[in-house]
Amino acid sequence: SMPLGNPEACSENCASRIASYVLGELQRATGVLACTSGPTSLPRRLRPLTRREYIATVEDLLGLETTNPLNDFPVEIRIDGYDNMPAAFEMTDRHVDAYLAEAESLAARAVLERRDVILPCNPNNGPEACAAEFISGFGRRAYRRPLTADEITALLGFFSSDAATFDVGLQDTIWAMLVSPHFLQRSELGVPDGEGAFVLDD
């Protein structure tokens, strides 16, 4: 009989979701209505950062505030109360352009406004060593895992041996990391356990 005065406004999927919510709350409160079988496991997927996660991650990594993702990034579709469902995520060309533009702006601001905070070393004492130190530390936080040797080598390609151009390489490296799938997607795929299941690695 809901919504009040216009029950026909909620049918099919809407009604199913409300029914699931009500049953879930009853089960949580009373401990009854236990399911006879659990849900079927979905395929393993990479999950994109939600807009809120993107904003929080950028603030943590760079100390910069951004509101653009709320306007231009993919809108999360809520399923059973969750807004982080990979199957409901759709990436379009417009979204890719928004990710690229936002990363470019953030990288420029990071070097201009937060360089001394995000940089763990002085490039004048050795630009190549400083670049490698930055890439390893910042990359570990941005990718949520240690970088591989090949990834570090590739990112070092943005830098030269001239300390005078260090900031150019720094800005390009930050931009590259912020548009990388390793930053934009969360990976919890795990590794095969030999028995048909998967376990998360370190």
Side-chain angles (χ1 to χ4, degrees):
S1 61
M2 297 295 288
L4 187 63
N6 188 19
E8 292 81 10
C10 183
S11 61
E12 298 178 359
N13 195 31
C14 171
S16 296
R17 289 182 182 178
I18 290 178
S20 295
Y21 170 77
V22 171
L23 289 172
E25 287 298 303
L26 282 172
Q27 182 178 0
R28 185 178 64 80
T30 64
V32 299
L33 300 175
C35 297
T36 56
S37 62
T40 303
S41 297
L42 293 174
R44 297 176 305 135
R45 289 188 173 104
L46 294 172
R47 181 176 76 72
L49 295 178
T50 65
R51 293 173 297 168
R52 288 178 298 155
E53 289 173 332
Y54 184 98
I55 291 170
T57 304
V58 164
E59 289 180 356
D60 184 61
L61 282 173
L62 302 173
L64 297 173
E65 293 185 2
T66 174
T67 57
N68 195 49
L70 293 177
N71 301 318
D72 297 330
F73 285 8
V75 176
E76 301 85 11
I77 299 174
R78 286 190 172 271
I79 300 177
D80 294 331
Y82 294 94
D83 65 359
N84 58 358
M85 307 296 248
F89 181 83
E90 181 180 0
M91 177 75 75
T92 67
D93 291 345
R94 184 177 70 83
H95 297 142
V96 172
D97 290 340
Y99 281 123
L100 292 170
E102 186 67 14
E104 185 176 15
S105 172
L106 288 169
R109 288 175 56 203
V111 173
L112 184 65
E113 303 171 25
R114 305 278 298 169
R115 178 185 187 273
D116 293 339
V117 177
I118 63 175
L119 201 57
C121 48
N122 186 343
N124 293 323
N125 298 333
E128 295 176 346
C130 187
E133 184 178 348
F134 169 77
I135 289 170
S136 296
F138 186 85
R140 183 184 185 97
R141 295 174 61 222
Y143 289 3
R144 296 169 288 275
R145 60 166 175 79
L147 273 65
T148 66
D150 288 343
E151 289 171 332
I152 293 174
T153 300
L155 291 167
L156 281 172
F158 288 113
F159 294 89
S160 72
S161 58
D162 185 359
T165 62
F166 185 87
D167 285 0
V168 175
L170 180 63
Q171 180 173 327
D172 289 345
T173 300
I174 294 171
W175 177 84
M177 287 191 186
L178 293 183
V179 296
S180 169
H182 300 291
F183 170 73
L184 295 173
Q185 307 268 356
R186 293 187 58 179
S187 170
E188 294 181 351
L189 299 181
V191 293
D193 67 356
E195 298 179 3
F198 294 82
V199 294
L200 297 181
D201 60 17
D202 292 340

